[in-house]
């Protein structure tokens, strides 16, 4: 199984177009050591030929251009993307679908009924795409595993996570099962697992069980501190209120990752541009290194 990080940043990307936080400003000026990152997406292949796209980021066209394996050039119009899985209905994970409207057949899009509803009512993206290639919705099961047509060699197991639905969801701030998911990506031959959850608001027993079972976890790295956005004056919301478990502090992601076996590869993804871990010379980044935790970047590959 081969996993390619297409975009390691959270919504807004890094640098974010209108942001002058120390990271965004520092990256533009070249005064910090950091690399730009596009918005949240990965691709996974079990045969190194056919790929499943997780999330359709607003940066999807740039992401496809920077990963030639996604364009095998077998026909006039072609793609190696067999299907798309949506982790949630947020803008950073879905608006790239508009950019993929030239597909030659309806896109197989795997998501929960709740995400489908948000993308039909709150943000009627699926309806709009009906005027172009169309969407062939596949209900993403939250129990048991599933395989995806056209993507051999890899199996999937999804679970519901407590996080938050998008602001335009009819049930924003009233989390419902299926608003956000985590997915185990399983190599069909070896059984090895990567657990992927870019938006994870709190640790829950079923989620912890999936993390413990994984050979590699690729999990929510949005914010370092719960009040990071408030302290910067960038938002009135805490990390937890936005559905993202912060890394530091009691009950934070670092405490949880420390409980995983030393052999589990630990990677943070969906990193907000304000997060000090993006500065490769920061104390927070050094703390991650000391704990054996990696920070995902665009182009990173995980091969199991
Ligand atoms: C999130 O992950 O909380 C959202 O994607 C935020 C956003 O809209 O950028
Ligand atoms: Mn997001
Ligand atoms: Zn910023």
């Amino acid at each position: 199984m081969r996993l390619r990080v297409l975009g390691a940043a959270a919504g807004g990307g890094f640098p974010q177009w209108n942001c002058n936080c120390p990271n965004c400003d520092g990256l533009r000026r070249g005064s910090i050591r950091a690399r730009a990152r596009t918005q949240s997406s990965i691709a996974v292949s079990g045969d190194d030929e056919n790929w499943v796209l997780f999330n359709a980021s607003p940066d999807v066209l740039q992401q496809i251009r920077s990963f030639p394996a996604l364009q095998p050039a077998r026909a006039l119009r072609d793609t190696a993307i067999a299907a798309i899985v949506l982790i949630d209905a947020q803008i950073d994970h879905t608006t790239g679908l508009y950019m993929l409207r030239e597909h030659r057949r309806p896109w197989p899009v795997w998501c929960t009924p709740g995400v489908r509803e948000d993308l039909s009512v709150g943000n009627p993206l699926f309806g709009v795409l009906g005027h172009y290639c169309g969407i062939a919705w596949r209900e993403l099961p939250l129990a048991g595993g599933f395989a995806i047509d056209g993507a051999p060699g890899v199996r999937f197991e999804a679970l519901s996570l407590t996080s938050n639905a998008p602001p335009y969801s009819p049930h924003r701030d009233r989390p419902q099962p299926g608003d956000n998911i985590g997915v185990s990506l399983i190599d069909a031959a070896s059984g090895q697992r990567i657990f992927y959850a870019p938006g994870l608001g709190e640790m829950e027993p079923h989620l912890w069980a999936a993390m413990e079972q994984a050979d590699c976890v690729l999990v929510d790295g949005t914010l370092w501190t719960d009040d990071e956005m408030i302290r910067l004056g960038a938002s009135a919301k805490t990390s937890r209120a936005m559905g993202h478990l912060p890394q530091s502090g009691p009950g934070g992601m670092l405490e949880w990752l420390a409980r995983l076996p030393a052999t589990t590869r630990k990677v943070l993804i969906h990193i907000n541009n304000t997060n000090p871990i993006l500065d490769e010379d920061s104390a927070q980044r050094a703390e991650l290194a000391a704990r054996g935790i990696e920070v995902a970047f665009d182009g990173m590959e995980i091969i199991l």
Side-chain angles (χ1 to χ4, degrees):
M1 173 166 62
R2 181 174 171 201
L3 181 153
R4 172 92 174 192
V5 174
L6 299 177
F14 176 48
Q16 180 174 310
W17 67 280
N18 65 345
C19 188
N20 289 297
C21 74
N23 281 345
C24 291
D25 185 56
L27 181 69
R28 279 190 209 100
R29 289 176 193 274
S31 61
I32 61 167
R33 210 158 56 87
R35 51 205 288 176
R37 285 167 170 84
T38 61
Q39 295 169 82
S40 187
S41 178
I42 64 168
V44 178
S45 177
D47 64 356
D48 221 359
E49 197 178 323
N50 300 284
W51 293 79
V52 177
L53 183 69
F54 281 75
N55 305 321
S57 153
D59 301 318
V60 68
L61 297 183
Q62 181 186 341
Q63 293 170 343
I64 290 172
R65 270 181 223 121
S66 60
F67 187 35
L70 296 181
Q71 182 44 266
R74 299 162 297 198
L76 176 66
R77 297 284 167 91
D78 197 15
T79 180
I81 302 170
I84 301 169
V85 177
L86 301 178
I87 288 289
D88 59 37
Q90 298 272 7
I91 286 191
D92 60 344
H93 287 162
T94 60
T95 44
L97 283 171
Y98 283 128
M99 303 308 131
L100 303 179
R101 67 191 176 284
E102 299 94 349
H103 198 38
R104 303 301 285 170
R105 58 196 166 84
W107 269 117
V109 172
W110 291 74
C111 66
T112 63
V115 167
R116 182 197 194 199
E117 193 196 351
D118 286 349
L119 296 176
S120 304
V121 182
N123 171 11
L125 179 122
F126 282 10
V128 173
L129 281 167
H131 297 277
Y132 300 88
C133 60
I135 299 290
W137 180 56
R138 305 274 193 269
E139 180 167 354
L140 192 146
L142 291 173
F146 63 102
I148 291 182
D149 274 353
V154 59
R155 291 190 300 113
F156 308 90
E157 284 173 16
L159 53 86
S160 184
L161 299 176
T162 301
S163 184
N164 206 343
Y168 43 82
S169 169
H171 54 272
R172 169 76 164 178
D173 293 329
R174 283 179 291 116
Q176 291 180 11
D179 282 345
N180 300 79
I181 60 162
V183 187
S184 296
L185 318 165
I186 308 158
D187 183 279
S190 70
Q192 286 200 297
R193 290 167 171 259
I194 301 171
F195 179 73
Y196 172 58
L200 181 170
E202 57 187 70
M203 199 53 68
E204 304 167 271
H206 69 299
L207 157 63
W208 182 242
M211 286 177 65
E212 278 190 303
Q213 230 192 324
D215 300 282
C216 171
V217 295
L218 188 58
V219 290
D220 194 335
T222 310
L223 298 170
W224 181 258
T225 40
D226 201 31
D227 63 354
E228 186 168 313
M229 302 289 273
I230 300 172
R231 275 203 271 168
L232 272 166
S235 162
K237 295 214 154 149
T238 63
S239 180
R240 284 186 169 85
M242 289 188 286
H244 297 293
L245 186 68
Q247 279 108 67
S248 64
M253 187 65 86
L254 297 191
E255 282 189 4
W256 285 104
L257 294 181
R259 286 177 209 163
L260 288 174
T263 49
T264 308
R265 188 167 174 190
K266 305 166 189 87
V267 186
L268 296 173
I269 196 164
H270 190 276
I271 301 146
N272 197 58
N273 57 75
T274 55
N275 191 327
I277 65 176
L278 289 171
D279 178 345
E280 291 170 28
D281 298 312
S282 67
Q284 292 85 352
R285 183 62 170 263
E287 182 173 354
L288 292 188
R291 289 170 173 265
I293 300 170
E294 299 167 68
V295 181
F297 54 89
D298 294 17
M300 181 186 207
E301 293 207 356
I302 299 171
I303 297 172
L304 283 185

